[in-house]
Structure formats: C-alpha cells, structure tokens
Amino acid sequence: MRFLPIIPLFASVVPAIWPKPIHYEYGQTILWVSKDVSVFWTSAGDYDRNFQGPTISSTPSGDEIVDFALQKTWEIIFEKSFVPWKLNPKSWQEPDPSEAVYITDIHLKLLKNDPENVAKPLAGEVDESYRLSLTTDGTVSISANSSIGLTRGLSTFTQLFYWHSQGGAYTPLAPVEIFDSPKFQHRGLNLDVSRNWFSVEDIKRTIDAVAYNKMNRFHLHITDSQSFPLEIPSLPELAEKGAYRPGLTYSPDNFKEIQYHAAIQGVELITEIDMPGHTSSIWFSYPELITAFNVQPNWNTYAAEPPSGTLKLNSTAVNNFLETLFKDLLPRVLPYSSYFHTGGDEVNKKAYETDETVQSSDFAVLQPLMQKFIDRNHKHVRSYNLTPIVWEEMLLDWDLDLGPDVIIQTWKSDSAVAKVVSKGHKALVGNYKYWYLDCGKGQWLDFDPSISSTFYPYNDYCAPFHNWRLMYSYDPLANIPPEHQHLVLGGEAHMWAEQTDPVNMDQAIWPRTSAAAEVLWSGAKDEYGRNRSQIDASPRLSEFRERLVAMGIAAEPIQMHYCTMNGTQCQLGYSMQGLDGNL
Ligand SMILES: *[C@@H]1O[C@H](CO)[C@@H](O)[C@H](O)[C@H]1NC(C)=O
Ligand SMILES: *[C@@H]1O[C@H](CO)[C@@H](O)[C@H](O)[C@H]1NC(C)=O
Ligand SMILES: *[C@@H]1O[C@H](CO)[C@@H](O)[C@H](O)[C@H]1NC(C)=O
Ligand SMILES: *[C@@H]1O[C@H](CO)[C@@H](O)[C@H](O)[C@H]1NC(C)=O
C-alpha cells in the first residue's frame, strides 16, 4: 500500500506514526479533542464499567487491557503531550483555538472475542491488527480483532495529536485512514538487571516505552554472575546474599507488579534465569553448587566476565536446588507469560575440569550431561505449560536435542538464524553487531600497565556504537530462504548493563530501540521490497523521540533542531526516491 499524502511537499507536519503503519492516508483538516468526548466501547465480556482498576494479582482480561489503554491515551494526549515547534519551520503558526472544531465521538469495536491467552499469548495467538478512521466531521472509529489490537490502535491515535501552547490538544491531519498489522509476532527488548541495579520504577518506565513502540515482549535477564536480585522465598539466602546489597532485590510483590505492568499493556514479560553459566552469584548462598568460582588471576580462562563460576553439571544438589527454584518461581510467572527462558549462553567448558562431579572439559563427556541438564529443566518448565526459550549455543554449539516447542534466541550472526530455522526450530534474532545497545562505550575492564598498550584505545568487543541507522538497517530475514521465514518469530534488542544504570538507561535504550521496533513491526523492507529509507524514518523518529520525552523517557535527540525544523536540509545524496522515501 502507498503512503497517500494530500499535502504539499514542504508542509510543516510530518505524518509521523512510529512504527510506520501498513496503510496511512491523512489530510490537513484541524480537529481538536476534549477530555469529555463520548467514547463508545463495546467490550467483549461482562465488563463492569464502574470498575475501580484491576487487582494486580491475576492475569489481566482483554477488557482490563483496553480500559488501561484508554486511561493511558487520555494521559498521553492531555498530560504528556508537547508543542511541536521543533518539528516546524520558524515561520510556523499554531492553529487558531478560536476556530476549534471538536471530535464528537470515539467508537472502539472489538470484532472478535479475545482468545483465552490474550494477555500472555504464544507467538501468533493474538491478532494485533487494527483499523483507525477519523472523519473530518469528527468521528473516530478503531476496530480490531483483539483487545491488544485496540490498544495498538489507541497508541497510534495518540500520535495524531499535539499540544497547543494556549492549552488543548489538536490533530492537523484529518481525515485519517489507517490499517496496520505487525510483520513479526515477537518484538522485544531484553534488559539485564543483574550487572547493575534497576528499581521497579525504572523497569516499569522502560516497559511503558516498550509498549508505546508497539513492542509486545519484555525480556528480563534477571540474574547473572554479578548479582542475584530476584527473591525466591523458598531459597531466601539466594537474594539475601546474592544481591549487591540487602534491599536491592525484587520481592514477589515487586516481581508481580512488574509482570502485571507489562501484561496490562499487551507486553508479555519473559523471565530468564540464565544457566548453567552466568550463575556465580549463587555461590554467595550455595557455594557447593558452583565450580571455578572467582578464579584469580586469569578468571578469563573460566568465564567471559568476572567472577568466573558455573553451576556444576552432574550434581544432585544442583538438580534439587533447581527443582526448588522452578517450583517457587514458575507458578509466579504463569499468570503473565507462556514462556520461560533458561539461558544457556557462553558456557565455559574448562570450568568443568574443577567440577568434582565431572572433572573434564571434554565435549564428549560434557555434552550428554548438558543434554540431561536441559531435559530436566525443560521438563519442569513444560510441566507448568510454559514454553522454553534458550540461547543459540544450546542448539548450535552443544548440538542438543531440544523439543520442537523450544524457541532459540540467536545473537551471534545472521547465519546462526539461518542454521536454527534450517533445523526446523523457531528463532529470535538480535545479531550483536546490530542490536546490542551496550556496544561502543569502550571497555569496562581495567588493564594492568603490563598489557594496557595491547588494548589501547580500549574499544569493547562489539564496538563501534550501534547508531539508530545501523540498527534500522538490520533485516531479520536477511538470507533466510522463503520456506523458512515463518520460523523467524521476530527478535529483541539487548540492553546488557555493565555500563548502564538508571542514570543513563533511557538514553542508552531510546530512541535506538525504536529503530528495532519499527523493523519488527513494519518489516525491514517497504511495500516495494526496498530497504526502508532513513530519509523517511528520520523526521518520524525525531517526532517520536519528542513523544517519548513528553512521556518522561529521557530519549536522546537524533538530530539538532535545525534538521528537525526543516525535514529536508540534513540530507546527503539524492535519488529518485520521494521525500517520504517512496517513488
Ligand atoms: C526548508 O528549507 C528550504 C531551503 O532553505 C526552504 O525552501 C523550505 O521552505 C524549508 N521548508 C520548511 C518546511 O521550512
Ligand atoms: C481481522 O480479521 C479479518 C479476518 O478474519 C481480517 O480480514 C482483518 O484484516 C483483521 N483486522 C482488522 C482490523 O479488521
Ligand atoms: C555423574 O555422576 C554420577 C553419579 O555420581 C557418576 O556415576 C557419573 O560417573 C558422573 N558422570 C561423569 C561423566 O562424571
Ligand atoms: C539493503 O540492506 C541490506 C542489509 O540488510 C544490504 O545488504 C543491502 O545492500 C541494502 N540494499 C540496498 C539497495 O541498499
């Protein structure tokens, strides 16, 4: 479908929906909206309209999700909006409020009953498409096949509005017709909350931004070698001793609150307990379960990061510990997710030489033990009706026999994605050369003078910094044969947090992750099969960044005002493509 602008080329407002809808027509009539506009919503079930807000103990219903989205819509339009001077030339004049014509009614139509798992679907179980129309005489209709589709439509609706400096919200874009639907079923951000500490509020704020980007997965890499902040009540010492500091932990109530905050916005939280590697923090409470703990010097022979250490691989004590952990945690995941991530990346074979239950680094010895380890863990996961996710190494390096249900999260290369799907497995993408947000900051290790010159100028392993254009150029389907493309469920951008904490997390994540969000929602190619154009994306991303900032997300600017005030001046090179990226 084509973009159909009915406005002159140098018009002042960019029709800036992010991520880009499949079909979008708009005009240039100004309509205002007031808080008391009539909203007609045909809800799916026996929804209590006097409902005082959901309880955070249970899986949210479709109706609760839409109710939350409506509140959020009003909050964004009337309290978290902005005057768009940065997106207009100096000569720009705001609309005259004395001539305001108002939107009269908003109709939300759920076209089908929600599937049972609407708040915690497996990939593909929920149709997120929506249709939005706004007529010049002020009628808005949003229809969708699921409550999640309605929330995606409402989220787009907020992006039609600007704040007026004299008060009030208006759209200059009526009439509007949008049909929209995501390209990929799994669109996520992975946040590592083990390397540095992040509060519940930091995580919730990030989930709000994830939802506003129409992403539908939030992967919480919640434990690692450096800290174990997740409280497991049946193993109380785990977080008491494993966290950086008493109190820097996620209690069961905190964990529930975070999961619920995601689910109510159509974002499924995926919890990862990475194992058997990346587990040294367990040593602080259960030293007998960990081998090769904190080897010094030369920890790097035994692990990718200090402190070294890994769960023993052939130990009944480890098995019992994990059984207790799963029995405690999985029932608390179940109301909010259909997935559980058991990690499996960067397992160091050498560490098992010091493991008295194995005493070998021979792959032939370790591989069958790893198979048993995974089989046992996934049996627990499946016994709660959860679908396991693992990192690619379990399949591609360890050559394990994983069930067809298991989703493989790739990170090393495009060819890893191709290999995973050629084996018939479902894959998530997130090539570290494109979608790792931690790259390009330089090393966090300190180098002894004896070796420091070897590492000069201290670049990190995945430098340079992956700017939004690079992230935007990543195609999840690159080199995947057509017959296997359906197995690429989508992907995630990754915020590994060695050098990121609440002070810089917003800038590190946003708006770069929005580039990944658009690739995952709209696809890496446009409707003509061409790579998406930066010329088209850049002004929209600048506007979306303003929306994130207005929401309280400290997203970085991608250009100076000079560029955003005139969408054509900061371009280098010209082709036959139009200003909106199309012919
Ligand atoms: C952008 O700059 C060009 C050249 O200076 C000018 O002709 C055009 O009117 C400007 N457009 C806007 C929207 O300011
Ligand atoms: C809803 O489902 C129907 C098919 O059942 C499809 O044609 C339509 O595009 C979907 N989305 C919307 C918003 O109607
Ligand atoms: C694993 O442990 C069992 C029971 O302790 C032992 O019999 C077996 O030899 C061990 N396997 C390896 C490869 O060390
Ligand atoms: C499109 O993007 C891919 C990367 O996904 C790149 O390899 C290719 O050269 C690009 N094609 C064009 C015409 O720029």
Side-chain angles (χ1 to χ4, degrees), residues 41-58:
W41 168 31
T42 333
S43 78
D46 307 319
Y47 189 64
D48 173 8
R49 297 306 296 269
N50 296 318
F51 167 76
Q52 291 302 311
T55 55
I56 67 157
S57 56
S58 54

Side-chain angles (χ1 to χ4, degrees), residues 260-322:
Y260 182 85
H261 190 74
I264 193 75
Q265 303 192 68
V267 176
E268 185 168 351
L269 191 139
I270 297 173
T271 307
E272 178 190 359
I273 304 284
D274 199 353
M275 61 180 89
H278 291 272
T279 48
S280 320
S281 57
I282 294 171
W283 182 89
F284 293 99
S285 46
Y286 300 92
E288 68 280 11
L289 307 181
I290 300 292
T291 192
F293 177 73
N294 197 19
V295 175
Q296 291 289 2
N298 302 333
W299 53 265
N300 57 328
T301 309
Y302 297 93
E305 290 185 3
S308 62
T310 190
L311 280 171
K312 292 178 183 173
L313 204 54
N314 184 28
S315 149
T316 312
V318 167
N319 299 343
N320 293 342
F321 165 86
L322 288 176

Side-chain angles (χ1 to χ4, degrees), residues 531-550:
N531 292 345
R532 287 195 182 277
S533 155
Q534 295 169 18
I535 307 286
D536 168 71
S538 171
R540 287 187 299 111
L541 187 55
S542 280
E543 171 161 343
F544 190 64
R545 181 266 175 170
E546 296 304 316
R547 294 190 183 278
L548 291 173
V549 170

Side-chain angles (χ1 to χ4, degrees), residues 134-420:
L134 164 61
T135 64
T136 37
D137 55 8
T139 296
V140 178
S141 317
I142 303 176
S143 59
N145 292 325
S146 74
S147 295
I148 305 294
L150 286 180
T151 72
R152 304 293 179 240
L154 283 166
S155 165
T156 292
F157 181 67
T158 65
Q159 292 188 27
L160 300 173
F161 292 91
Y162 302 96
W163 193 245
H164 196 285
S165 56
Q166 292 173 39
Y170 66 94
T171 176
L173 296 167
V176 172
E177 282 291 340
I178 295 174
F179 175 76
D180 203 3
S181 171
K183 171 94 177 164
F184 293 100
Q185 300 155 349
H186 185 121
R187 307 179 305 278
L189 169 69
N190 171 23
L191 179 64
D192 157 21
V193 295
S194 163
R195 269 53 177 266
N196 272 316
W197 164 253
F198 296 85
S199 74
V200 171
E201 287 313 312
D202 296 320
I203 296 171
K204 284 169 70 177
R205 182 178 71 255
T206 305
I207 291 170
D208 292 343
V210 161
Y212 203 46
N213 277 270
K214 297 194 177 76
M215 291 177 125
N216 62 359
R217 300 288 187 267
F218 184 72
H219 169 177
L220 205 51
H221 181 89
I222 201 165
T223 62
D224 210 297
S225 283
Q226 291 77 12
S227 80
F228 201 111
L230 180 65
E231 290 182 23
I232 303 292
S234 55
L235 300 163
E237 296 195 335
L238 202 44
E240 265 168 38
K241 297 184 175 171
Y244 275 122
R245 208 180 136 76
L248 296 192
T249 56
Y250 305 111
S251 69
D253 280 348
N254 293 155
F255 185 52
K256 190 189 289 176
E257 184 181 345
I258 293 167
Q259 292 181 97
Y260 182 85
H261 190 74
I264 193 75
Q265 303 192 68
V267 176
E268 185 168 351
L269 191 139
I270 297 173
T271 307
E272 178 190 359
I273 304 284
D274 199 353
M275 61 180 89
H278 291 272
T279 48
S280 320
S281 57
I282 294 171
W283 182 89
F284 293 99
S285 46
Y286 300 92
E288 68 280 11
L289 307 181
I290 300 292
T291 192
F293 177 73
N294 197 19
V295 175
Q296 291 289 2
N298 302 333
W299 53 265
N300 57 328
T301 309
Y302 297 93
E305 290 185 3
S308 62
T310 190
L311 280 171
K312 292 178 183 173
L313 204 54
N314 184 28
S315 149
T316 312
V318 167
N319 299 343
N320 293 342
F321 165 86
L322 288 176
E323 182 170 347
T324 308
L325 174 74
F326 285 131
K327 280 191 172 153
D328 187 309
L329 181 60
L330 298 182
R332 297 191 281 123
V333 161
L334 195 56
Y336 308 103
S337 189
S338 292
Y339 295 105
F340 189 79
H341 200 314
T342 61
D345 59 325
E346 298 181 318
V347 178
N348 184 301
K349 297 186 196 73
K350 185 123 180 100
Y352 294 109
E353 287 175 3
T354 62
D355 173 357
E356 78 282 1
T357 72
V358 181
Q359 290 179 321
S360 172
S361 55
D362 180 355
F363 182 73
V365 174
L366 297 178
Q367 201 267 0
L369 296 174
M370 186 67 88
Q371 181 74 54
K372 282 186 192 154
F373 182 81
I374 290 293
D375 285 348
R376 198 179 298 108
N377 294 339
H378 285 185
K379 202 172 145 202
H380 288 300
V381 172
R382 291 187 185 104
S383 75
Y384 289 92
N385 236 344
L386 294 163
T387 294
I389 305 180
V390 295
W391 291 106
E392 65 171 74
E393 288 95 318
M394 292 287 98
L395 182 71
L396 301 181
D397 296 355
W398 288 83
D399 200 21
L400 298 185
D401 191 4
L402 300 161
D405 54 333
V406 178
I407 294 173
I408 315 296
Q409 181 152 36
T410 64
W411 64 278
K412 289 188 171 181
S413 63
D414 292 352
S415 68
V417 185
K419 274 186 221 152
V420 167

Side-chain angles (χ1 to χ4, degrees), residues 71-82 155 158-159 163 212 547 550-551:
Q71 292 171 32
K72 196 108 193 164
T73 299
W74 262 216
E75 187 184 312
I76 288 172
I77 293 177
F78 296 107
E79 291 161 34
K80 297 184 170 172
S81 189
F82 67 103
S155 165
T158 65
Q159 292 188 27
W163 193 245
Y212 203 46
R547 294 190 183 278
M551 276 174 66

